[in-house]
Amino acid sequence: MTSFFYFYTMETKVLNTIDEMLSHWEIIQQLYPEITLEKYQSFLKEMIPHNYQQLAVFEHNICIGLTGFWTGIKLWSGKYIEIDNFIVHENHRRKGIGKIMTDYIANLAEQLNCNVIVLDAYTGNFKAHRFYYNQGYAPRGFHFVKTLNKEGLT
C-alpha cells in the first residue's frame, strides 16, 4: 500500500491597513477575549501612524499566526524592532508557526539595520518564555507598569 502526503507551505503577509488587520479579528480575540471590535479598531487607528504593522501566517488561506511589530529608536539600543501581541492560533500550535514569525521579524530587523529586537511576555507565561529563549531572546531587565486606568486595559 502506498501512502501519499500532501505537503504545503505556509504563507506570510505583512498587513498595513486597518481593513487588513480587522479581517483577522478572530485571532486577536484569542489573546484578548474581552476587547471589542470598536476598541481594537480605535487602537489600530492610533498605532498605524506610528509604524505599526502586523505579520500574518496563513495555512490554506486561514490566518493561524499573527504578530504586531513596529520600529523605533531608543538611547540604550539605537534602532530597534518591537514584537507586539504575538499569537499562534490555539489549534495550530507546535507546527513551527511561531518560529516562522520570529525568523521573519529577525530578517526584517537586519534589513532595517536594527540593533535589537525587543518584546514583552507576561511574567507567568512560562511557555512563551521557553519559546523565546529557544529563539535566542533573553531577559534584559524588567518592564515596570503603573496602572492609571484599569478600565482602559484589555
Side-chain angles (χ1 to χ4, degrees):
M1 178 176 205
T2 305
S3 296
F4 293 95
F5 295 97
Y6 175 70
F7 292 99
Y8 56 91
T9 57
M10 293 183 207
E11 297 178 63
T12 58
K13 181 180 179 189
V14 174
L15 311 177
N16 295 298
T17 69
I18 290 176
D19 288 339
E20 288 176 312
M21 294 176 192
L22 290 176
S23 69
H24 306 296
W25 161 245
E26 58 282 342
I27 199 163
I28 290 293
Q29 289 180 296
Q30 286 192 6
L31 187 60
Y32 300 110
E34 301 298 317
I35 194 170
T36 65
L37 183 60
E38 294 76 22
K39 188 174 190 179
Y40 179 53
Q41 184 173 13
S42 73
F43 284 171
L44 291 174
K45 283 180 182 177
E46 291 193 43
M47 294 163 69
I48 289 172
H50 297 283
N51 300 321
Y52 182 77
Q53 298 175 75
Q54 291 179 341
L55 172 66
V57 178
F58 297 90
E59 183 180 65
H60 304 296
N61 296 319
I62 297 170
C63 183
I64 57 173
L66 186 73
T67 187
F69 64 93
W70 34 24
T71 57
I73 296 174
K74 294 187 180 193
L75 293 176
W76 74 269
S77 67
K79 191 170 184 181
Y80 69 93
I81 193 166
E82 181 176 357
I83 294 172
D84 194 28
N85 305 310
F86 196 92
I87 310 162
V88 174
H89 190 286
E90 60 193 3
N91 296 334
H92 295 275
R93 294 188 179 143
R94 306 199 54 82
K95 290 183 173 182
I97 297 158
K99 181 157 178 42
I100 289 169
M101 293 192 298
T102 55
D103 286 352
Y104 186 99
I105 297 293
N107 289 331
L108 180 60
E110 287 182 24
Q111 291 172 22
L112 297 173
N113 296 314
C114 293
N115 296 318
V116 295
I117 303 168
V118 298
L119 59 87
D120 288 330
Y122 289 116
T123 54
N125 191 347
F126 301 114
K127 288 180 182 180
H129 300 173
R130 183 174 41 248
F131 171 76
Y132 293 126
Y133 274 118
N134 289 336
Q135 302 306 309
Y137 294 82
R140 174 90 188 254
F142 292 100
H143 187 101
F144 288 92
V145 176
K146 180 178 181 179
T147 302
L148 301 175
N149 178 8
K150 210 173 187 181
E151 287 76 37
L153 302 176
T154 324

